[in-house]
Amino acid sequence: MSIHAVSPLFVGRARELAALGDALARSHAGASSTVLVGGEAGVGKTRLVKEFVDRRAGDALVLVGGCLELGTEGLPFAPFTAVLRGLVRELGRDAVAALVPGGNARALARLLPEFGEPGKDGPEARARLFEQVLGLLERLAEERPVVLIVEDAHWADRSTRDLLTFLVRYQRTAARLLLVVTYRTDELHRNHPLRPLLAELGRVEWVTRAELRRLTRREAVALAAGILEREPSPADMDLIYARSEGNPLFVEALLNECGGGEALPESLRDLLLASVERQPEETQELLRVASAGGQRIEHALLSAVAGLDESALSRALRPAVAGNVLVVDGEGYSFRHALIREALHDDLLPGEHIRLHTRYAEALERDLSILPAPRGAIELAHHWHSAHDSTWALTSAWHAAAAARKSTAYDEQLRMLSRVLELWDQVPDAAERIGADRIDVLRQTATVAHLSGEYERSIALASAALDELDHCVDPIRAAMLLRQRGLTRYDLGRTGHLEDLRTAAGLVPADQLKLRGQVLESLSRMLHRPEDRPERQATARRAMEIGHEVGDANVEAHAMISLTWGHSCYSEMDSQLAAFAEARRIAYRDEAYNALMRCAISESDALEGAGMHERAAQVAREGVEEARQYGLARTSGTFLSINLAEPLVSLGRWDEALQVVEHALELAPPAPYRASLQGFATDIALARGQLDRAAKLLDASRSVLSRGSYRDQTTLPHLCREIRLLQARGQLDQAVETAARALEERDLVSNPRYAWPVLVAVARLVWDVVPSSRLLDATASAGAAPSAGAASAARSAGGVQSLEPAELGAVARLALSLLPRLRVLGGELMAEGDQQQAHRLTFGALTGPEEPLEHAAEVVAWRLKAWDLAVGAWEALREPYAEALSLSAAAQAALASGDRQGAAARITRSRDLARELGATPLLEQLDTFARRARIGGGSEEAAGGQPLGLTARELEVLREVTNGRSNREIAEELVISVKTVSVHVSNILAKLGAATRGEAAATAHRLRLFD
């Protein structure tokens, strides 16, 4: 049940709202204008105008009037009468009359009786009325801008249209006047009188037109979430979006009145059928016939079912097209909106419903070529099902599934096979009619559910078939089903996938060589642990041999990819890429689409792991397009979107990466893929300081990952994000505890590609938590007492005075205790390829030299060199964010060495990169460092020379807030009143943009405002 009748969120209209705001700004500047806002019923014209008035109108005088639904010969001047009545109510009759030029408002009596008797009639009377309305608006606009809103102009009578035209053409004489006119595009049939008026006004220089489109699926989800106060399930949203087609009013109505169920709300039904009921009776009858044919119906099919000759058919169709109920669509017709068809179809009587669908089915049986494949077979199955003929519905669904398979329309194939299972018990001889038993149908349906991304359903179907099967009696089908369930369990992160595949391998008879190759190839994909590598290689090699021997290109290509990954080495990419190219050639030979997709996935992943981001993005992008062509957009396509988003994030093309993520999420991908896509959006949100968004995304990913068992490539990036979010929020104790558990419990040696970022994230955390001088002591001097010079150098680099371990806080002590383990892992972990080498250099710069250094000059020189090496490595890889972070640290090291010019140059370069990326937290840190060090590259200091615009006293209060003191404790410390402290705290929160004291303290900590 919904919470709100109308969504509190306003979605999908940012551009139109900005256009109205710009028009009002021009009016403020003295340049009046008109905006014509069109759109179908329910698309959100009234909501747009309301949001504009609430958000942008400011001190403008807003006058609103609407046309009435009385036809084009209805009440004259209705919107202007409403406007005038509102003015009289607010200002009084005399005050309004005084505003009319000359003080004679008798012409306005034609609109409102309060102004007495109108002047004598005649040709001048109409002109006098128009002039007085314009003059009144001019006088009102002298005091403040005026926004005149005329709603529902499609119902405007002739007089209203004439006055509106007059005002638009002469509004430039009335400075600071904005006219906003709304109208329904779906009401504008071919002969509607507003059509030529809109065309005429559209040519006027100061008139702009905006037509509201329907919402995208993502926008509709946001709208529904605002109504429900939760995000609807993908399945519910699929149904609602399919029925509403993105019309906001229809989305709201379906959610509010029927929860997205089958029945249409009466209020919505009346709105939809209004245009139908205005049609001639013969046209209404034809529309009822057409409603049974679906949203789009071919002319030839409609003619065959309607039983009309061409002349009669055209005569009945013409009013429906002219009235905008039907739209000509190629060689057929579409209903203007799917819900119009649905409302008409729901009004059919039971006997009429069965009779019409039977006529459609019989017409298609006679000539299936009327519709293109596989649509003809699918619609035939639909009509037999709707006619309640179970036998023909089952057999036609089975044939439709086969046709959909040929066209790689896996979603349709799944729907048809599901219908076969649904009808199975209603047709006693079902197996004989389709030539397959129930277990065969279950197996096929499980396979197609996997291809369609319905992983949970695939597992359930395979399990149901296995429960009905005797493995000893029928080992071949049992092995097929176990292989299918194992593959799907693996993709969904469920346990048991290896057990399924090993059991399947044991069941395959020796003479079933092709099936053995398929099972072995699948098993080789699942063996990822280092200790399983020999088995993986042997299994993949044997599967490749079998695939080649029996001519199974899919198995041979898959096995070759698995074998290649077993020998993978990011520093030797040429041989890998050659192997992938050969696998692709084999797969292309027999159009093995699944293997082709894995080629694209594996190659793009390998290129990204080697730091070849541009090539990785190109391969992934081409793969996404191939997946769409093969009908695998929701599965392989979204997986490849992960592989596309990753290099885009690396390259700093964050907005482009977010577009890729959003587009892939709109396809409702399987949960693990959704979590990975959201992970890259989380990375960007963290880097841009959007912590609430990052937390929300991370929670969504966490809920998915908690339900399965996933590989390092999924779990280790998630771990990095957990640590970085806690760190950014100032929850350093939780961040350190999370890092400590990870170092203790996780295997961070077997997968260097994903382990290096974890080590770097933990090292950054330690550097953030532990005072810099103590960190230098621990890493550079192996615990020896630091020299005065070393401590001084640490302070110059942004650290604080040296503290003994006993003097450190508990969190800092725990963080410091992580260093030995970190350094051991860093020594054990391989660094293969340029990207891992860049991580290793960054890690080394954070954790210090391997050999102890005794002199301050050595420490400073080593650190500057280490950070400059890291900068160079990231620059060569074209990873701007990592480069900017390293430049920031290098600038501090340069300053510690006394090279102020070098520090300034590094700060400037880092700021340029961070600004382009929108990395606000890094920009703030750089500005703070530059101000404190008094070097170039930072923003201008705030008033009083204090950071972030804080006064000296506010800075003192913030220091105490950061130390965790209450207002009373701060008052006692600073010898001021508690009320004064409260005022200072409020000012601090406002200047920092923080909602709570904790957020303010976290900001101060992140910016290192206090030593």
Side-chain angles (χ1 to χ4, degrees):
M1 181 61 66
S2 61
I3 306 299
H4 303 285
V6 177
S7 174
L9 297 177
F10 182 59
V11 299
R13 302 291 181 245
R15 185 177 61 182
E16 293 83 1
L17 188 62
L20 288 170
D22 291 343
L24 182 58
R26 291 193 297 272
S27 295
H28 272 279
S32 298
S33 59
T34 295
V35 181
L36 306 175
V37 180
E40 67 180 0
V43 83
K45 301 178 293 299
T46 300
R47 179 69 183 272
L48 171 66
V49 171
K50 180 180 183 301
E51 293 289 334
F52 163 65
V53 170
D54 292 345
R55 298 187 188 189
R56 304 291 181 89
D59 64 345
L61 174 61
V62 179
L63 307 173
V64 182
C67 303
L68 301 181
E69 189 179 2
L70 299 175
T72 56
E73 300 303 323
L75 188 65
F77 302 120
F80 302 103
T81 300
V83 165
L84 193 57
R85 182 176 291 112
L87 283 171
V88 169
R89 189 182 305 115
E90 181 179 350
L91 305 176
R93 187 193 71 83
D94 293 341
V96 173
L99 290 170
V100 176
N104 185 351
R106 290 180 64 190
L108 295 182
R110 299 185 186 278
L111 301 182
L112 209 61
E114 283 88 333
F115 290 98
E117 288 296 324
K120 63 178 182 179
D121 296 332
E124 298 84 9
R126 188 178 181 87
R128 191 177 305 115
L129 170 63
F130 286 15
E131 289 287 354
Q132 287 200 353
V133 171
L134 179 60
L136 175 61
L137 294 172
E138 287 176 339
R139 294 290 296 275
L140 289 169
E142 288 175 1
E143 294 186 12
R144 51 178 170 157
V146 173
V147 179
L148 174 59
I149 299 169
V150 178
E151 294 197 283
D152 297 324
H154 52 281
W155 289 326
D157 64 286
R158 174 64 180 269
S159 298
T160 298
R161 294 195 302 272
D162 289 346
L163 178 49
L164 185 59
T165 303
F166 177 83
L167 292 177
V168 171
R169 289 202 171 277
Y170 291 97
Q171 74 178 128
R172 280 301 173 99
T173 65
R176 305 205 301 172
L177 173 62
L178 170 62
L179 294 179
V180 179
V181 182
T182 72
Y183 60 94
R184 287 186 187 173
T185 53
D186 49 320
E187 294 282 349
L188 303 186
H189 54 76
R190 188 168 300 166
N191 297 319
H192 196 289
L194 189 64
R195 289 175 69 102
L197 174 60
L198 292 172
E200 177 187 347
L201 294 181
R203 291 191 289 269
V204 177
E205 178 186 351
W206 51 87
V207 174
T208 58
R209 293 182 68 168
E211 185 161 333
L212 300 189
R213 55 172 177 78
R214 295 173 183 174
L215 300 179
T216 65
R217 188 183 189 283
R218 179 169 55 85
E219 291 165 347
V221 169
L223 187 77
I227 294 172
L228 301 173
E229 293 190 346
R230 61 175 174 79
E231 190 164 301
S233 71
D236 288 344
M237 201 61 228
D238 284 344
L239 176 61
I240 291 168
Y241 190 69
R243 298 178 73 195
S244 69
E245 294 184 314
N247 183 295
L249 176 66
F250 298 170
V251 172
E252 291 172 349
L254 291 170
L255 283 168
N256 278 299
E257 297 194 36
C258 56
E262 291 301 317
L264 279 176
E266 284 303 317
S267 59
L268 181 55
R269 182 188 302 277
D270 292 343
L271 172 66
L272 292 165
L273 293 181
S275 58
V276 175
E277 291 166 354
R278 291 195 292 266
Q279 303 297 316
E281 183 57 38
E282 65 175 351
T283 301
Q284 292 188 45
E285 176 60 29
L286 183 63
L287 288 171
R288 283 191 284 273
V289 172
S291 72
Q295 173 60 18
R296 185 185 185 282
I297 182 169
E298 301 292 332
H299 180 88
L301 180 58
L302 181 59
S303 177
V305 174
L308 300 174
D309 59 39
E310 282 298 315
S311 175
L313 182 64
S314 297
R315 187 169 58 251
L317 279 170
R318 194 171 301 281
V321 173
N324 216 9
V325 178
L326 290 180
V327 178
V328 176
D329 185 4
E331 295 299 317
Y333 310 93
S334 294
F335 283 88
R336 177 176 52 79
H337 199 289
L339 287 181
I340 295 177
R341 187 210 69 81
E342 185 177 329
L344 278 165
H345 189 256
D346 288 348
D347 275 353
L348 295 175
L349 297 173
E352 190 178 19
H353 180 280
I354 292 174
R355 187 167 58 254
L356 277 176
H357 282 288
T358 301
R359 282 162 60 184
Y360 272 101
E362 290 171 348
L364 288 169
E365 290 277 14
R366 289 193 297 271
D367 184 6
L368 197 59
S369 66
I370 289 178
L371 299 177
R375 186 179 154 203
I378 291 170
E379 289 205 14
L380 175 62
H382 161 73
H383 289 300
W384 280 127
H385 186 255
S386 296
H388 307 308
D389 189 319
S390 300
T391 299
W392 287 111
L394 181 142
T395 55
S396 60
W398 178 256
H399 294 310
R405 172 72 178 183
K406 289 180 181 178
S407 300
T408 65
Y410 298 120
D411 288 337
E412 289 298 333
Q413 185 186 7
L414 177 60
R415 191 159 63 89
M416 292 296 102
L417 289 172
S418 298
R419 182 169 295 167
V420 171
L421 290 171
E422 173 192 328
L423 296 170
W424 192 267
D425 292 336
Q426 299 177 35
V427 182
D429 57 346
E432 290 76 14
R433 284 185 174 275
I434 66 173
D437 64 13
R438 177 177 159 82
I439 291 175
D440 277 336
V441 178
L442 283 168
R443 181 177 62 81
Q444 283 196 38
T445 312
T447 301
V448 178
H450 187 198
L451 290 170
S452 299
E454 298 287 345
Y455 289 173
E456 296 279 10
R457 192 173 174 190
S458 176
I459 292 172
L461 288 162
S463 297
L466 285 165
D467 289 343
E468 296 182 17
L469 199 63
D470 186 328
H471 294 199
C472 297
V473 173
D474 198 345
I476 294 176
R477 288 202 293 180
M480 291 178 176
L481 285 161
L482 285 165
R483 172 179 176 261
Q484 180 58 60
R485 190 173 71 177
L487 285 170
T488 315
R489 279 177 165 174
Y490 172 76
D491 282 344
L492 198 56
R494 297 289 188 266
T495 57
H497 53 275
L498 278 174
E499 291 80 356
D500 278 349
L501 288 163
R502 292 190 191 281
T503 303
L507 286 172
V508 179
D511 60 342
Q512 296 294 317
L513 204 56
K514 184 171 183 175
L515 179 58
R516 172 167 292 279
Q518 293 171 347
V519 173
L520 291 178
E521 177 278 310
S522 300
L523 178 60
S524 70
R525 286 193 238 172
M526 314 300 161
L527 298 168
H528 296 293
R529 297 180 306 171
E531 58 268 32
D532 294 332
R533 183 173 178 178
E535 182 185 0
R536 173 190 175 95
Q537 297 299 94
T539 304
R541 189 173 288 106
R542 178 56 184 147
M544 191 166 68
E545 292 169 354
I546 292 174
H548 184 75
E549 182 180 344
V550 301
D552 190 330
N554 192 62
V555 166
E556 186 179 1
H558 269 300
M560 180 174 288
I561 295 168
S562 297
L563 195 62
T564 302
W565 272 117
H567 292 297
S568 65
C569 178
Y570 292 118
S571 57
E572 299 177 4
M573 284 298 297
D574 289 345
S575 59
Q576 274 196 76
L577 295 177
F580 291 142
E582 176 61 16
R584 182 176 287 105
R585 185 192 65 78
I586 293 170
Y588 265 126
R589 184 185 66 206
D590 286 0
E591 296 184 336
Y593 299 147
N594 192 274
L596 284 171
M597 290 294 92
R598 190 167 171 227
C599 283
I601 290 169
S602 300
E603 184 177 354
S604 57
D605 185 52
L607 288 165
E608 174 62 14
M612 304 166 74
H613 308 308
E614 288 285 3
R615 289 184 64 185
Q618 179 184 352
V619 171
R621 196 183 302 278
E622 291 170 355
V624 169
E625 177 57 26
E626 278 189 301
R628 186 189 64 77
Q629 295 173 5
Y630 299 152
L632 299 170
R634 190 178 173 214
T635 50
S636 298
T638 51
F639 198 107
L640 279 157
S641 294
I642 297 170
N643 285 14
L644 174 55
E646 186 175 5
L648 292 175
V649 170
S650 298
L651 291 165
R653 289 154 58 179
W654 291 354
D655 292 334
E656 187 179 348
L658 289 174
Q659 290 176 357
V660 169
V661 168
E662 290 171 1
H663 177 71
L665 290 176
E666 286 177 358
L667 298 175
Y673 300 178
R674 185 173 70 248
S676 293
L677 288 162
Q678 290 172 329
F680 295 117
T682 306
D683 290 333
I684 296 170
L686 285 168
R688 287 180 166 171
Q690 301 162 342
L691 302 188
D692 288 344
R693 171 173 166 76
K696 182 179 179 181
L697 290 166
L698 204 56
D699 284 343
S701 299
R702 189 184 297 114
S703 68
V704 172
L705 299 183
S706 64
R707 298 196 297 268
S709 176
Y710 297 93
R711 295 170 56 193
D712 289 347
Q713 66 191 60
T714 301
T715 58
L716 292 185
H718 180 79
L719 172 61
C720 286
R721 292 161 191 143
E722 295 268 14
I723 293 171
R724 289 170 56 204
L725 178 61
L726 291 169
Q727 185 179 356
R729 283 186 155 176
Q731 299 169 287
L732 299 178
D733 52 345
Q734 297 179 45
V736 172
E737 289 170 3
T738 301
R741 284 196 304 272
L743 296 185
E744 182 68 26
E745 300 171 3
R746 299 298 299 262
D747 175 13
L748 296 174
V749 177
S750 60
N751 198 330
R753 174 176 171 182
Y754 298 101
W756 273 118
V758 174
L759 295 191
V760 170
V762 176
R764 286 193 191 281
L765 174 65
V766 173
W767 184 261
D768 193 18
V769 173
V770 180
S772 303
S773 56
R774 172 54 60 192
L775 188 57
L776 284 173
D777 296 344
T779 60
S781 303
S787 65
S792 174
R795 286 194 295 274
S796 299
V800 297
Q801 63 182 8
S802 178
L803 298 173
E804 294 301 319
E807 296 176 270
L808 295 173
V811 176
R813 286 199 301 273
L814 177 58
L816 193 59
S817 71
L818 301 182
L819 272 176
R821 175 62 176 159
L822 268 177
R823 298 193 62 173
V824 168
L825 288 171
E828 293 177 349
L829 202 60
M830 295 176 60
E832 201 174 65
D834 293 341
Q835 191 171 44
Q836 292 178 31
Q837 287 290 348
H839 280 299
R840 184 183 64 78
L841 289 170
T842 305
F843 176 79
L846 286 164
T847 55
E850 295 180 4
E851 298 297 328
L853 299 174
E854 297 181 358
H855 302 292
E858 292 179 311
V859 173
V860 171
W862 179 90
R863 190 161 295 281
L864 178 57
K865 181 179 179 182
W867 278 116
D868 279 345
L869 286 172
V871 168
W874 292 120
E875 182 182 17
L877 286 166
R878 296 176 58 195
E879 296 198 29
Y881 186 58
E883 181 187 350
L885 289 171
S886 298
L887 278 164
S888 175
Q892 297 180 47
L895 183 65
S897 71
D899 182 5
R900 298 181 63 82
Q901 186 175 356
R906 290 172 176 83
I907 285 288
T908 299
R909 171 63 178 159
S910 183
R911 288 192 84 259
D912 288 344
L913 293 170
R915 188 186 303 108
E916 290 175 10
L917 295 167
T920 303
L922 178 56
L923 274 172
E924 291 174 349
Q925 292 173 23
L926 292 166
D927 287 348
T928 301
F929 169 69
R931 281 194 298 267
R932 292 176 62 190
R934 295 183 176 83
I935 60 176
S939 301
E940 294 297 322
E941 282 200 357
Q946 302 298 344
L948 303 174
L950 300 173
T951 66
R953 176 62 86 182
E954 287 167 352
L955 204 59
E956 288 181 308
V957 172
L958 179 57
R959 182 192 295 273
E960 300 305 323
V961 169
T962 304
N963 290 334
R965 293 189 174 183
S966 67
N967 283 5
R968 183 167 299 281
E969 291 171 332
I970 296 171
E972 293 172 357
E973 176 69 21
L974 301 181
V975 196
I976 55 179
S977 70
V978 175
K979 184 176 181 180
T980 301
V981 173
S982 178
V983 172
H984 285 316
V985 170
S986 296
N987 292 339
I988 290 166
L989 296 180
K991 290 179 179 181
L992 298 186
T996 64
R997 297 162 68 96
E999 285 188 25
T1003 300
H1005 181 86
R1006 187 178 72 245
L1007 300 180
R1008 299 182 183 274
L1009 294 181
F1010 311 114
D1011 288 344

